[in-house]
Amino acid sequence: MTPRNARTQTQRTSGPSVHTTNHSLANGSPLAGLVAAQSRLAQTAVQQCGCVTTEQVYQSGLGRRRLVAMIEEGHLIRRYVGVYVVAMSLAQVAGDPRLASPGLEREAMAAQLALGRDSCACLDTAARLHGLRGSPRWCGSVDMAIRPTGRARRPVPPLRVHARWVGARDTTRMGPLRLTTVARTLADLSTAAPRAQFVPMVEAARRGELISAAEATRFLNAPHRVERGCGAAPHPSSTRNPPASGGGGAADPPYPRGVIRPEPSSG
């Protein structure tokens, strides 16, 4: 066989293999559609601190069977019913492995997605997000405020739900996260945190120019009470909020029925 004939035979033999590989990645193929859908889901996770909801999984183009498969394969981890955090494999698709790292922002975002648009981080969680908490170290719990409009069983730790009125003027945003403002956070903590922990937070807010000197003085000179789950202390930023129904005691009223169902630990 001449060299030219040998080269022609080699091209004929290798041709189908190259064509098959290109066909598997062609536009419109199942594999290309799966990759594109996972990329869309990963980008949604980037915008939400590494968290996604069941609805967002479907909106990205992935069906129920694929969702179940991603959970079984460890690409998504159930945090609450209908809320997932991404694992390392999907975080790498997003190009940001940090999305798979546990942290306060991710836990607060998962709780926010589970509780709904009227919820926001409050108390110790809001203080840590604002950078007011130096110690003790974060223990994994998340404090979230929702409207006190009903009764239901509380979710299991680390999520702590507080039924209290938080008006629009008392909330702010930190990326995708909703949380109480610095002033409202300090007002809430003035009656919920030991003074030994509260004073350093006020001083940190003043050093960071998050509150004025007058506000810091008012917080430090106000009577300090520690009552588990009590409502916000009187503060100009919260005077328009109606009183929480069913409060009036040492504990927060139960949160609305059906707001959240924690994912069972056995599941």
Side-chain angles (χ1 to χ4, degrees), residues 46-49 109 112 173-178:
V46 168
Q47 300 170 10
Q48 297 180 161
C49 305
M109 189 73 235
Q112 178 177 300
R173 299 191 73 93
M174 186 174 292
L177 294 172
R178 293 186 299 271

Side-chain angles (χ1 to χ4, degrees), residues 112-175:
Q112 178 177 300
L113 291 173
L115 289 169
R117 61 183 182 181
D118 291 328
S119 64
C120 67
C122 64
L123 294 169
D124 183 75
T125 298
R128 292 181 184 278
L129 291 171
H130 283 302
L132 307 181
R133 267 294 209 177
S135 61
R137 294 182 59 184
W138 179 55
C139 63
S141 61
V142 177
D143 293 290
M144 298 293 294
I146 62 171
R147 294 184 178 183
T149 57
R151 299 180 62 85
R153 187 180 63 181
R154 291 179 182 275
V156 296
L159 178 58
R160 298 184 299 214
V161 178
H162 306 269
R164 57 181 63 201
W165 289 98
V166 181
R169 62 179 297 179
D170 285 342
T171 60
T172 186
R173 299 191 73 93
M174 186 174 292

Side-chain angles (χ1 to χ4, degrees), residues 1-35:
M1 180 180 296
T2 64
R4 180 176 181 180
N5 292 337
R7 185 167 60 253
T8 303
Q9 182 67 25
T10 302
Q11 291 173 348
R12 289 175 179 175
T13 304
S14 60
S17 175
V18 174
H19 177 73
T20 301
T21 302
N22 291 338
H23 176 73
S24 65
L25 294 176
N27 292 335
S29 69
L31 179 57
L34 175 60
V35 171

Side-chain angles (χ1 to χ4, degrees), residues 7 25 51 57 67 83 92 96-97 103 107 124 137 140 144 161 169 187 193-194 196 199 220 228 254 261:
R7 185 167 60 253
L25 294 176
C51 301
V57 172
L67 170 60
V83 179
Q92 290 175 335
D96 190 352
E107 291 301 319
D124 183 75
R137 294 182 59 184
M144 298 293 294
V161 178
R169 62 179 297 179
V199 171
L220 294 175
R228 183 175 61 87
R261 291 178 295 154

